[in-house]
């Protein structure tokens, strides 16, 4: 075997072999997490005992994406809550019942909704990583809850007061128009938040680590390989040796 095709027991994380001619290459025992083998020629390549899946860099990127989407989900859920409560209170009791105390308690509820929604979404996106990932996500969620409660209370009160003023003005203009506007906006907020929740919890779970799309893996060996979050879609896998390979969340 050519020395250039001997990658046995090497740390190859995040390397790109895209479109390379690697016929008969030896990757046995190597760490190929995050590698890209798309459209590569890998006939009779040896991937025995490899560790394939998401690299640390990919996990960090996925975690950041989950964090941002969890914030978006929590924010959307909070706005939907503010809109629902302020409209119901104003529509049923009228503007006379709205004072600083009402704004304060609605803001408290909104902050709780934000914190709980963020914690649920962000923690749920890490449950598959095991106890350590869940504990880290829980700790971050607690920090966000504390930070938003401490620094975001004034901003939330402004949002609540603005919602009350907008709804009061719209109800004074035309109650029927106000009701139709609420029924048009509120479902969009709810469905939007649910969609963001789904994206958040799937950001890490559906992440692709090692890629083999369109690669030619004829007679390649993955004997005792650890394959997690790998993508073999459209790859040629004739006579591939999968014996004792541990395969989890892979696209085959």
């Amino acid at each position: 075997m050519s020395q250039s095709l001997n990658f046995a027991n090497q740390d190859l994380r995040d390397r790109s072999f895209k479109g390379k001619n690697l016929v008969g290459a030896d990757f046995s025992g190597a760490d190929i997490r995050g590698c890209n083998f798309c459209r590569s020629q890998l006939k009779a390549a040896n991937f025995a005992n490899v560790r394939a899946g998401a690299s640390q860099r990919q996990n960090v990127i996925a975690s950041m994406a989950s964090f941002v989407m969890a914030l978006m989900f929590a924010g959307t859920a909070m706005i939907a809550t503010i809109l629902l409560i302020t409209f119901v209170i104003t529509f049923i009791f009228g503007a006379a019942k709205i004072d600083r105390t009402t704004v304060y308690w609605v803001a408290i509820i909104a902050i709780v909704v934000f914190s709980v929604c963020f914690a649920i979404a962000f923690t749920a996106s890490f449950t598959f990583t095991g106890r350590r990932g869940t504990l880290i996500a829980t700790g971050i969620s607690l920090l966000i809850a504390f930070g938003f409660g401490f620094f975001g209370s004034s901003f939330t009160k402004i949002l609540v007061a603005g919602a009350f003023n907008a709804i009061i003005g719209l109800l004074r203009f035309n109650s029927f128009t106000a009701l139709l506007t609420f029924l048009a906006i509120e479902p969009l907020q709810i469905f939007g938040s649910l969609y963001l929740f789904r994206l958040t919890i799937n950001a890490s779970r559906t992440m692709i680590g090692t890629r083999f799309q369109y690669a030619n893996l004829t007679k390649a060996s993955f004997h005792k390989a650890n394959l997690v979050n790998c993508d073999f879609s459209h790859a040629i896998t004739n006579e591939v040796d999968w014996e004792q390979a541990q395969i989890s969340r892979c696209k085959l």
Side-chain angles (χ1 to χ4, degrees), residues 59-77 114 117-119 121-123 125-126 137 140-141 144 192-193 195-204:
N59 284 326
V60 169
I61 293 173
S63 298
M64 292 174 63
S66 295
F67 180 82
V68 172
M69 286 187 285
L71 285 176
M72 293 173 63
F73 161 66
T76 305
F114 178 92
C117 287
F118 177 86
F122 190 61
T123 304
S125 68
F126 283 87
I140 293 174
S141 298
I144 291 296
S193 63
Y195 179 72
L196 286 170
F197 175 73
R198 181 180 178 183
L199 288 179
T200 303
I201 62 175
N202 287 331
S204 297

Side-chain angles (χ1 to χ4, degrees), residues 1 23 26 31 43 52 62 71 76 108-109 130 143 156 172 177 181 190 206 210-211 216 223 228 239 242 244:
M1 180 189 299
V23 175
D26 185 8
D31 188 343
K43 288 183 180 179
L71 285 176
T76 305
I108 291 295
I109 294 172
L143 288 174
T156 306
R172 286 175 178 171
T177 302
T181 302
I190 293 173
T206 59
T210 308
R211 299 176 180 272
N216 188 345
H223 182 71
V228 182
E239 301 181 64
W242 303 103
Q244 299 184 48

Side-chain angles (χ1 to χ4, degrees), residues 159-182:
L159 284 180
V160 173
F164 271 126
N165 290 331
I167 292 169
I168 290 171
L170 196 56
L171 284 171
R172 286 175 178 171
F173 173 73
N174 189 295
S175 298
F176 183 69
T177 302
L179 181 60
L180 288 180
T181 302
F182 169 77

